[in-house]
Amino acid sequence: MTLQTEVQNEASSKLSVQHVSKTFRSRARVVHALDDVSLDVGEGEFVCLVGPSGCGKSTLLNIIAGLDLADGGRVLTDGAPVAAPGRDRMMMFQESALFPWLDVLSNVLFGLKLKPGLDAGERRKVAEFYLKLVGLEKFHRAFVHELSGGMKQRVALARALAPNPRALLMDEPFAALDALTREQLYGDLQRIWQERKKTIVFVTHNVREACCLGDRVVLFSPHPGRIREEFKIDLPRPRDINSVDLARYSTRITAALKNYARPESGAELVEVAE
Amino acid sequence: MRRTLKALVFFAGLLLAWEAVCLARIWSPVLVPSPVSVGRYLWEAANDGTLGSATVVTLRRLVLGYCFGLAIGLPLGLLTARFKVVGDTLGLLALGLQTLPSVCWVPLALLWFGQTEAAMFFVVVMGTIWSVIIATENGVKNVPPIYARAARTMGSSGLHTWLRVLLPAALPFIVGGMKQGWAFAWRSLMAAEIYVTILSGFGLGHLLHYGRELNAMEQVIGIMLVLLLIGLIADKVLFSPWERFLHRRWGTAK
Ligand SMILES: Nc1ncnc2c1ncn2[C@@H]1O[C@H](COP(=O)(O)OP(=O)(O)OP(=O)(O)O)[C@@H](O)[C@H]1O
Ligand SMILES: [Mg+2]
């Protein structure tokens, strides 16, 4: 039964970023966005990248996704070098990037239609499965502008999950949402991550968010973008963003972050969790 | 329903005012014919077939030229947005020609094609094509890059991205361009028909012209009413569905 195999959990992938550098040159200036960044993400691991604005987090995520190419170094997924976007790594952005000319179901179907080996009925079943997973089974026929910000991100999550990728790359997906909606989504994302066994790389400005979601929190510093420190978050799941233990972690990490973003380096301070 | 009623009342009032002006005999009835005489002309012209056949001739010219202009303009607009060379050359040319009042094509068309259907076709195509090219180019260039990036991560590339992402994303602009192209084509076709007698078919413009020659003001005004009606219907039938579509999907009153 194809639907079964289609929504079956595939082994999540192991990502390996090795000595990646990236420089943007424009006529006005040269920005050293990433400098010799190395990072290993284990199978099924949830890693959060935190750092001040402009330290190259999005750039790194784009390189892992294959949307951008590194100047030096390489990215491996399960040992194979990344050269282009692939269905094994799906990306989610801060803006939902849903297509307004399609309804919710067709948005989720977009990636599935590009995946070989499924007929129309199976694609639809798969799409419905994921819309149910994110709690939007009643909104198949809604259009994007009819959804709230949180619902949009849920659809975007369903769309990213639908081709059954092995890794999810998320670039500040909840940054534009209010605190309450975000809290719901933290719960949902943790549940889905455990159910679907994905490897997740999650970029955020919000240290508390990182502590709530990540197995590991990786700190970046800007100019040039480098990895400075890593924190393992040893808390049971599902985690509550308001728990005291979590607050202890986030205080420690925030202090470290402030240390790396000292004013003389020219970086702005990061937004710290409320 | 209420809206239709209000519109009906408004137009009935307009007709009554017109009739009142005629009855007051402020101007000579030769210059300001009464709605009754205009109505009589239209009735007779409709019955003896002149009105019908002229409408068919005009609409055929318009629709043929417009569809052809769209079919050429859309892909050219996409190419203009896609390739820098095309944008720097054809794009610039289109921008320049779009600012040219489309009536200006009439003398050229007559010299090139003589008094033939080809001349009419040419004028309509020239009215349509530049607006459509510019609008399509503009639309594609204004598509948020994140759409194409998102599509790429899902495995879309090349032609698929163009047809399934950039083209639909640019639709609000393109529909605007189609509307403008239609308006330009319609105006230039009327100018051509009024000034040029073409033996292959009498259009509405010719009827308007002969109305003037014969000093038949009720014919002039009657044909103007028909033109106005065609413009209204075209807007409602051709473009309203698109605009409703855009409104429903984008949630804007584009
Ligand atoms: N396409 C580009 N062209 C030129 N410079 C770029 C480009 N993309 C990113 N940069 C620069 O590279 C640096 C890193 O950008 P990046 O978007 O990766 O930062 P970020 O850590 O994601 O920041 P934020 O938290 O604000 O999203 C910035 O200084 C930015 O100005
Ligand atoms: Mg970023």
Side-chain angles (χ1 to χ4, degrees), chain A residues 6 8 11 16 18 31 57 63 72 80 92 97-98 128 140 150-151 164-165 187 222 242 246 248 250:
Chain A
E6 188 52 37
Q8 216 164 48
S16 177
Q18 303 179 340
V31 178
K57 305 177 301 286
I63 290 173
M92 243 183 102
L98 296 174
E128 282 168 355
H140 288 181
M151 288 157 86
N164 208 12
N242 298 312
L246 203 144
R248 256 199 294 279
S250 93

Short mmCIF file of all heavy atoms in Angstrom, two decimals, chain A residues 6 8 11 16 18 31 57 63 72 80 92 97-98 128 140 150-151 164-165 187 222 242 246 248 250:
data_model
loop_
_atom_site.label_atom_id
_atom_site.label_comp_id
_atom_site.label_asym_id
_atom_site.label_seq_id
_atom_site.Cartn_x
_atom_site.Cartn_y
_atom_site.Cartn_z
N GLU A 6 4.43 5.59 1.96
CA GLU A 6 4.71 7.01 1.75
C GLU A 6 4.82 7.77 3.05
O GLU A 6 5.69 8.61 3.22
CB GLU A 6 3.60 7.61 0.87
CG GLU A 6 3.85 9.00 0.42
CD GLU A 6 5.20 9.17 -0.23
OE1 GLU A 6 5.67 8.26 -0.96
OE2 GLU A 6 5.80 10.21 0.02
N GLN A 8 5.39 6.43 5.91
CA GLN A 8 6.23 5.71 6.86
C GLN A 8 7.43 6.58 7.24
O GLN A 8 7.93 7.36 6.44
CB GLN A 8 6.76 4.46 6.16
CG GLN A 8 6.87 3.27 7.06
CD GLN A 8 7.01 2.02 6.22
OE1 GLN A 8 7.82 2.00 5.30
NE2 GLN A 8 6.24 1.01 6.53
N ALA A 11 14.40 6.66 7.88
CA ALA A 11 15.47 6.99 8.80
C ALA A 11 15.80 8.46 8.59
O ALA A 11 15.92 8.92 7.46
CB ALA A 11 16.68 6.13 8.51
N SER A 16 26.20 16.84 8.01
CA SER A 16 27.55 17.18 8.42
C SER A 16 28.01 18.41 7.64
O SER A 16 28.14 18.36 6.42
CB SER A 16 28.47 15.98 8.19
OG SER A 16 29.78 16.33 8.52
N GLN A 18 31.01 20.86 6.97
CA GLN A 18 32.46 20.77 7.17
C GLN A 18 33.18 21.99 6.62
O GLN A 18 33.22 22.19 5.42
CB GLN A 18 32.99 19.49 6.49
CG GLN A 18 32.30 18.24 7.01
CD GLN A 18 32.77 16.98 6.34
OE1 GLN A 18 33.34 17.04 5.24
NE2 GLN A 18 32.56 15.85 6.97
N VAL A 31 31.01 41.07 2.66
CA VAL A 31 30.54 40.55 3.94
C VAL A 31 31.00 39.11 4.09
O VAL A 31 30.71 38.26 3.24
CB VAL A 31 28.99 40.59 4.01
CG1 VAL A 31 28.53 40.00 5.32
CG2 VAL A 31 28.50 42.01 3.88
N LYS A 57 23.21 32.78 10.05
CA LYS A 57 22.38 31.59 10.32
C LYS A 57 21.56 31.20 9.09
O LYS A 57 21.54 30.03 8.69
CB LYS A 57 21.45 31.85 11.51
CG LYS A 57 22.17 32.30 12.76
CD LYS A 57 21.22 32.61 13.90
CE LYS A 57 20.20 33.69 13.63
NZ LYS A 57 20.67 35.07 13.61
N ILE A 63 22.60 27.07 2.62
CA ILE A 63 23.64 26.21 2.05
C ILE A 63 23.31 24.75 2.31
O ILE A 63 23.45 23.90 1.43
CB ILE A 63 25.02 26.59 2.62
CG1 ILE A 63 25.43 27.97 2.07
CG2 ILE A 63 26.06 25.54 2.27
CD1 ILE A 63 26.69 28.53 2.68
N GLY A 72 33.68 27.72 0.33
CA GLY A 72 34.65 26.70 0.71
C GLY A 72 33.98 25.72 1.64
O GLY A 72 32.97 26.03 2.26
N ALA A 80 26.69 12.01 1.54
CA ALA A 80 26.68 12.48 0.14
C ALA A 80 26.71 14.01 0.12
O ALA A 80 25.95 14.65 0.85
CB ALA A 80 25.44 11.97 -0.56
N MET A 92 11.55 25.60 5.79
CA MET A 92 10.44 26.45 6.20
C MET A 92 10.99 27.83 6.50
O MET A 92 12.04 27.96 7.13
CB MET A 92 9.81 25.89 7.48
CG MET A 92 8.39 25.46 7.34
SD MET A 92 7.80 24.90 8.93
CE MET A 92 6.84 26.31 9.42
N ALA A 97 5.53 31.76 2.91
CA ALA A 97 5.86 31.46 1.51
C ALA A 97 4.85 30.51 0.88
O ALA A 97 5.17 29.77 -0.05
CB ALA A 97 7.28 30.92 1.36
N LEU A 98 3.62 30.51 1.41
CA LEU A 98 2.56 29.72 0.77
C LEU A 98 2.12 30.46 -0.48
O LEU A 98 2.25 31.69 -0.58
CB LEU A 98 1.38 29.57 1.72
CG LEU A 98 1.65 28.77 2.99
CD1 LEU A 98 0.44 28.81 3.90
CD2 LEU A 98 2.02 27.33 2.67
N GLU A 128 -3.76 14.98 2.91
CA GLU A 128 -4.75 15.02 3.98
C GLU A 128 -4.17 14.52 5.29
O GLU A 128 -4.44 15.06 6.36
CB GLU A 128 -5.98 14.19 3.58
CG GLU A 128 -6.86 14.94 2.60
CD GLU A 128 -7.92 14.06 1.96
OE1 GLU A 128 -7.91 12.83 2.20
OE2 GLU A 128 -8.74 14.61 1.21
N HIS A 140 -9.08 22.48 4.18
CA HIS A 140 -8.55 22.10 2.86
C HIS A 140 -8.79 23.14 1.80
O HIS A 140 -7.95 23.42 0.97
CB HIS A 140 -9.22 20.79 2.39
CG HIS A 140 -8.76 19.62 3.16
ND1 HIS A 140 -9.20 18.35 2.92
CD2 HIS A 140 -7.87 19.53 4.15
CE1 HIS A 140 -8.61 17.52 3.75
NE2 HIS A 140 -7.80 18.21 4.51
N GLY A 150 -0.57 31.84 12.53
CA GLY A 150 -0.24 30.52 13.07
C GLY A 150 -0.71 29.41 12.15
O GLY A 150 0.02 28.43 11.92
N MET A 151 -1.91 29.57 11.58
CA MET A 151 -2.41 28.55 10.65
C MET A 151 -1.54 28.48 9.40
O MET A 151 -1.28 27.41 8.86
CB MET A 151 -3.86 28.86 10.28
CG MET A 151 -4.84 28.60 11.41
SD MET A 151 -6.33 29.58 11.19
CE MET A 151 -7.30 28.52 10.14
N ASN A 164 7.85 13.85 2.66
CA ASN A 164 8.54 12.96 3.58
C ASN A 164 10.05 13.15 3.58
O ASN A 164 10.81 12.23 3.31
CB ASN A 164 8.18 11.50 3.27
CG ASN A 164 8.27 10.62 4.50
OD1 ASN A 164 8.39 11.13 5.62
ND2 ASN A 164 8.24 9.32 4.31
N PRO A 165 10.50 14.38 3.89
CA PRO A 165 11.94 14.63 3.90
C PRO A 165 12.56 13.96 5.12
O PRO A 165 11.84 13.56 6.04
CB PRO A 165 12.00 16.15 4.06
CG PRO A 165 10.79 16.49 4.85
CD PRO A 165 9.73 15.53 4.38
N GLY A 187 4.56 22.97 21.24
CA GLY A 187 4.04 21.67 21.61
C GLY A 187 3.84 20.79 20.39
O GLY A 187 4.29 19.63 20.36
N PRO A 222 28.82 37.11 15.04
CA PRO A 222 28.91 37.70 13.70
C PRO A 222 30.28 38.27 13.36
O PRO A 222 31.14 38.41 14.21
CB PRO A 222 27.88 38.82 13.77
CG PRO A 222 27.87 39.24 15.19
CD PRO A 222 28.28 38.07 16.03
N ASN A 242 7.70 27.65 29.85
CA ASN A 242 7.67 28.47 31.07
C ASN A 242 8.29 27.77 32.28
O ASN A 242 8.23 28.28 33.39
CB ASN A 242 6.23 28.85 31.39
CG ASN A 242 5.63 29.68 30.28
OD1 ASN A 242 6.24 30.63 29.82
ND2 ASN A 242 4.45 29.29 29.82
N LEU A 246 14.07 25.27 32.40
CA LEU A 246 14.34 25.82 31.08
C LEU A 246 14.86 27.25 31.20
O LEU A 246 15.78 27.66 30.50
CB LEU A 246 13.04 25.78 30.27
CG LEU A 246 13.19 25.79 28.77
CD1 LEU A 246 12.12 24.92 28.15
CD2 LEU A 246 13.06 27.18 28.23
N ARG A 248 16.60 28.43 33.54
CA ARG A 248 18.02 28.41 33.97
C ARG A 248 18.93 28.28 32.76
O ARG A 248 19.92 28.98 32.63
CB ARG A 248 18.24 27.25 34.94
CG ARG A 248 18.34 27.71 36.40
CD ARG A 248 19.00 26.63 37.25
NE ARG A 248 18.18 25.44 37.36
CZ ARG A 248 17.15 25.32 38.21
NH1 ARG A 248 16.83 26.32 39.01
NH2 ARG A 248 16.46 24.20 38.27
N SER A 250 18.24 29.09 29.71
CA SER A 250 18.18 30.24 28.83
C SER A 250 18.94 31.42 29.41
O SER A 250 19.54 32.21 28.69
CB SER A 250 16.73 30.59 28.49
OG SER A 250 16.22 31.52 29.36
#
